[in-house]
């Protein structure tokens, strides 16, 4: 059961304490308080855990401080919408708002290599008004003989360069609890010049210890990538590990699924799942067209296939786009063949803008009447 408190109930308020005391008065019931910070309002929710089956809702509905009581019947207790009874409230991080209604593009390098390449990338982002990027430093590679990423040693200069170019959030993959600690330490020693969204890659989707570790820290939001070879439901369950540990700032990312039926693309594009994830969960949904398509080809109409795949996610309501760029894809140490070049950034932004307008017009035209 989830008790949603009225907007702006403070965590230390007597009203909250009263409701918790009432809940914990039922045998075998314990509570957890989750607070979701929004830009205009904050929502406090009390999760009732344990033997909640026989707990009635009425005693809680009587409190004037309670907005609603939701009986959770589904398994996605933390991330779920629970038959639309709960709102997708979103979250703020480092001055940027993430929700199912916002849209942010994260162009950047698959893997950090030379400082000059990263500087050129961040400079292009700045010139085009982009404050969000991606940069991999811990790379889980298929072969142990391939470039594994520069690791913790590059973090200070990566963060400093980001700060110099006004980058507020970098999506950065972590493969181990230790990586999270290294990122937090480097942000601290460099004076927090930027922010990091911890990326859980598709190869670690069911690394439950890593998911728990990402959920146990409160500082950094988490970008969870769906498993490439498991069902959507299994991925949502895995994602629930992060949120159930206490970190509600999670974005769910679609990145294609592995099947030879996706040939000649690297993965089969699964962006039709954007509205499905939005309906089932409260999470903003990201798409990664680069790792889905996996190559840089142009269609006969002149648009790169990566653009077309991006459009497929934007027109169905994606909130975030992770997209690979490199100043010189031919020399990139990881995934160069799928990277866009920096001169293509303004075109991609214009293209995304058109697709977003189409999506919003469709929601206005059909959203209210269709169900
Ligand atoms: C990445 O984004 O760099 C990456 C490795 O993606 P995925 O985990 O989706 O393969
Ligand atoms: Mn990659």
């Amino acid at each position: 059961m989830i008790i949603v408190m009225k907007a702006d109930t403070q965590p230390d308020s007597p009203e909250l304490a009263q409701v918790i005391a009432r809940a914990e008065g039922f045998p075998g019931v314990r509570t957890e308080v989750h607070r979701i910070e929004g830009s205009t309002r904050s929502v406090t929710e009390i999760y009732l855990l344990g033997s909640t089956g026989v707990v009635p809702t009425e005693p809680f509905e009587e409190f004037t401080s309670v907005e609603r009581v939701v009986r959770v019947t589904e398994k996605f207790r933390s991330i779920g919408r629970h038959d639309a009874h709960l709102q997708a409230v979103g979250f703020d991080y480092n001055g940027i708002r993430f929700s199912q209604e916002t849209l942010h593009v994260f162009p950047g390098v698959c893997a950090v290599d030379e400082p000059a390449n990263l500087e050129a990338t961040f400079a292009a982002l700045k010139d085009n008004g982009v404050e969000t990027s991606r940069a991999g430093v811990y790379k889980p590679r298929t072969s142990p003989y391939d470039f594994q990423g520069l690791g913790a040693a590059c973090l200070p200069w990566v963060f400093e360069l980001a700060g110099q170019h006004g980058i507020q959030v970098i999506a950065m993959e972590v493969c181990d609890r230790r990586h999270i600690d290294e990122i937090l330490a480097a942000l601290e020693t460099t004076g927090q010049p930027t922010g990091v969204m911890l990326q859980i890659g598709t190869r670690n989707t069911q690394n439950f210890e890593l998911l728990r570790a990402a959920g146990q820290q409160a500082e950094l939001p988490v970008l969870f990538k769906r498993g490439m070879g498991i069902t959507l439901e299994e991925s949502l369950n895995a994602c629930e590990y992060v949120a159930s540990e206490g970190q509600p700032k999670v974005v769910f990312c679609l990145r294609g699924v592995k099947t030879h039926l996706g040939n000649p693309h690297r993965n089969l594009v699964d962006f039709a799942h954007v509205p499905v994830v939005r309906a089932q969960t409260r999470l903003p949904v990201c798409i990664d067209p680069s790792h889905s398509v996996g190559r840089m080809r142009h269609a006969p109409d002149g648009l790169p296939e990566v653009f077309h795949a991006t459009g497929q996610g934007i027109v169905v309501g994606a909130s975030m786009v992770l997209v690979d760029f490199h100043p010189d894809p031919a020399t990139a140490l990881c995934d160069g063949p799928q990277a866009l070049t920096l001169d293509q950034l303004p075109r991609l932004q214009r293209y995304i803008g058109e697709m977003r307008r189409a999506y919003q017009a469709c929601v206005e035209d059909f959203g209210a009447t269709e169900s």
Side-chain angles (χ1 to χ4, degrees):
M1 186 183 288
I2 296 177
I3 301 171
V4 184
M5 302 299 291
K6 289 229 170 92
D8 299 324
T9 303
Q10 293 308 309
D12 52 359
S13 64
E15 289 83 5
L16 190 72
Q18 274 175 349
V19 178
I20 290 172
R22 184 82 180 82
E24 292 187 343
F26 288 93
V29 172
R30 61 190 172 83
T31 59
E32 246 176 39
V33 176
H34 289 238
R35 191 164 165 84
I36 305 159
E37 304 283 351
S39 58
T40 51
R41 66 184 196 122
S42 301
V43 176
T44 303
E45 295 173 351
I46 306 170
Y47 288 35
L48 270 58
L49 308 170
S51 323
T52 59
V54 294
V55 177
T57 56
E58 294 78 12
F60 301 103
E61 284 157 352
E62 282 164 10
F63 285 100
T64 51
S65 57
V66 169
E67 188 173 299
R68 62 163 71 228
V69 183
V70 179
R71 200 172 270 293
V72 176
T73 49
E74 298 154 80
K75 55 190 117 178
F76 308 131
R77 187 177 290 173
S78 300
I79 64 173
R81 283 264 200 167
H82 306 295
D83 291 331
H85 290 309
L86 295 178
Q87 287 178 310
V89 281
F91 61 89
D92 292 292
Y93 175 63
N94 233 16
I96 300 199
R97 169 133 200 87
F98 294 91
S99 77
Q100 291 195 350
E101 319 311 323
T102 57
L103 173 60
H104 300 288
V105 186
F106 280 55
V109 294
C110 176
V112 172
D113 45 39
E114 298 297 323
N117 285 333
L118 194 65
E119 173 142 38
T121 305
F122 286 161
L125 267 53
K126 187 169 191 208
D127 288 348
N128 289 286
V130 182
E131 296 183 326
T132 46
S133 185
R134 57 156 295 146
V137 312
Y138 306 105
K139 298 303 302 178
R141 302 303 298 277
T142 303
S143 166
Y145 308 117
D146 286 339
F147 175 61
Q148 305 286 308
L150 296 179
C154 73
L155 290 174
W157 61 260
V158 169
F159 294 158
E160 271 154 15
L161 276 178
Q164 285 159 22
H165 294 87
I167 304 294
Q168 300 298 324
V169 187
I170 306 172
M172 184 175 279
E173 181 164 1
V174 288
C175 307
D176 191 273
R177 188 183 279 268
R178 183 169 40 87
H179 299 161
I180 302 174
D181 295 338
E182 288 169 358
I183 289 171
L184 287 169
L187 284 171
E188 182 76 30
T189 52
T190 52
Q192 317 280 348
T194 187
V196 169
M197 187 178 273
L198 296 175
Q199 185 175 320
I200 306 288
T202 195
R203 289 160 190 80
N204 277 307
T205 301
Q206 288 185 308
N207 180 342
F208 300 116
E209 283 312 305
L210 180 63
L211 296 170
R212 280 202 179 95
Q216 283 162 1
Q217 56 79 44
E219 291 92 336
L220 310 176
V222 177
L223 178 62
F224 172 91
K225 285 191 144 189
R226 81 165 295 174
M228 59 179 149
I230 56 174
T231 63
L232 183 63
E233 177 159 332
E234 286 163 338
S235 283
L236 291 172
N237 264 303
C239 188
E240 179 80 12
Y241 270 83
V242 179
S244 66
E245 287 294 330
Q247 174 52 289
K249 298 183 178 181
V250 182
V251 177
F252 189 93
C253 182
L254 297 165
R255 45 81 69 209
V257 292
K258 202 177 190 72
T259 157
H260 69 278
L261 300 177
N263 293 348
H265 287 163
R266 186 174 177 182
N267 290 287
L268 187 65
V269 178
D270 56 352
F271 299 163
H273 279 169
V274 170
V276 178
V277 179
R278 286 184 65 176
Q280 286 195 29
T281 78
R282 312 164 76 183
L283 309 178
V285 184
C286 176
I287 52 163
D288 180 343
S290 302
H291 286 82
S292 301
V293 169
R295 65 179 190 171
M296 192 42 59
R297 291 277 182 98
H298 287 71
D301 54 26
L303 278 77
E305 291 173 354
V306 167
F307 276 41
H308 281 304
T310 304
Q312 289 172 21
I314 301 294
V315 293
V316 293
S319 290
M320 197 173 133
V321 186
L322 211 58
V323 56
D324 285 7
F325 276 81
H326 196 279
D328 181 18
T331 61
L333 297 178
C334 186
D335 285 348
Q338 71 192 27
L340 292 160
T341 48
L342 299 178
D343 58 316
Q344 289 175 297
L345 179 57
R347 264 180 92 211
L348 180 66
Q349 287 178 294
R350 278 207 319 281
Y351 173 81
I352 289 176
E354 291 292 334
M355 291 292 145
R356 178 73 172 173
R357 270 189 288 283
Y359 165 68
Q360 285 169 330
C362 288
V363 169
E364 244 168 61
D365 276 6
F366 309 113
T369 49
E370 304 286 307
S371 63

